[in-house]
Amino acid sequence: MPRRASDPIVIPDELWERPQMTQALTSRDIGTVFHLLRQYAGATQTQIAIACGLTQGRVSEHMKEGGRRVTELDVFERIADGLQMPDTARVALGLAPRTHRGVPTPRTPEPQARTGIVRTGPRPTGADPSDPMDISRLTRWLTASDTAGETIESLARSTTSLASAHTQVPAKSLLSQVLRLHRRTQDLLESSRPRPRHTRELLRIDADLLAHAAVIFGDVNLDHHAEQYAAAALMFAREAGANEAFAWYAQAKTARWQDRLIEAADFARQGYEASPHTPMKTQLAWYEANAAALLGDQARARQAVKRAEQSAETIHDSPTDRSVWSFPTERRALFAQAVATRTGDPDGALEAAEMADTAWAAGAPVAPAVWAQIRVGTGVAHLLKGDLEGTAEQLSQLLTLDPGMRLTTVTRYVADLDRRLSHPRYRDTTLAVQLRAQIRDFNAAALTDDTDMERS
């Protein structure tokens, strides 16, 4: 009788032990897994699709030479569950086993009725403390933990890569990737029963991802989300016993842009006290100084600047270590410029801009948003000195910034410059009117070339 698409796949148990299958699972080559199912189990693409909860077209894409690869953890889980992979196969695929010593296996309907899979060979026996196979199960569980460790290391590397991409990738595009990795980390925490040390590492990774997401939410003017994610980041970091500095920084940054300046200064100070001896410690001191200067508390601002300078004397960022958490010379210059501007020191602001420009001229990587804020701050410094032409020169450079890089942190700086240009001293001059029109156009186009982020 001809085989029907609805017929179950009959998978010999020994197929999972074949070296080709083990290699395919280890390398997460799902296309080869499907080819082996067709070769040794006679499975059609439609049968595989039904069993794994995929479309036939998706299965076909995976099976093409050089075709689409599976990368999402939830899809690997769906395929493993759909094919009723034994624990050895799940472990090879980088997933946790379904059965653990002392953990009862949930009761489910018969495999054929649920997934369209029939396995041939002896059925597994129940757990018996006197059964030597009990040791085998424990060994497999430990092996699965080793595999889980490799998965966690991969998540940690990806988290670091996203942090390093922060200054170069459009904000919304980067945010969708950070949120996607956060969901993968959450899935592992919630569904794979990780060992305690793995749980702590997953919590640490997710704390960093939540803090990074909070920073980007602030960059795209979603401060309410930023506040929630920053608070969660601190909770996760504390639970993991990990570095809290990133979470405190995210909270300070969010509070600053919500004009909660006392809280911003306090968050930054708490982060400074909690931070290990890293560049972030210096940055948090500067953040306190900036918030205090905005408050008009010049004494606190000076004290925070002193802490920042003392910290910077013994902490140095590597020139090649650039990420959302690093604090290179040009970012230090940005904070120094902001504090100088807000304490009525335009010459100090211009000196800070020169420090940043010198670093870039020497080959330091250019972070577009930092460069833009330096240009605006320099324009404000010229305005404070009564040099409207100097302000116009800085703004003409700023107008070249790609819309996808015009973050809220940039447009708010530009809006402050617009407010200053509305002063009676300038507002009726032809050049000031032209500059304000350019500012309106610049801010109106902000982020318009950016891709939409995924819904969180």
Side-chain angles (χ1 to χ4, degrees), residues 290-314:
N290 187 29
L294 283 167
L295 276 168
D297 189 344
Q298 295 196 18
R300 182 173 182 177
R302 285 194 295 270
Q303 291 170 358
V305 168
K306 184 177 180 180
R307 281 192 292 274
E309 291 174 341
Q310 290 173 341
S311 176
E313 288 177 0
T314 57

Side-chain angles (χ1 to χ4, degrees), residues 40-59:
Y40 292 102
T44 66
Q45 290 183 1
T46 301
Q47 287 177 301
I48 295 172
I50 291 171
C52 298
L54 304 172
T55 64
Q56 183 274 329
R58 179 80 175 269
V59 171

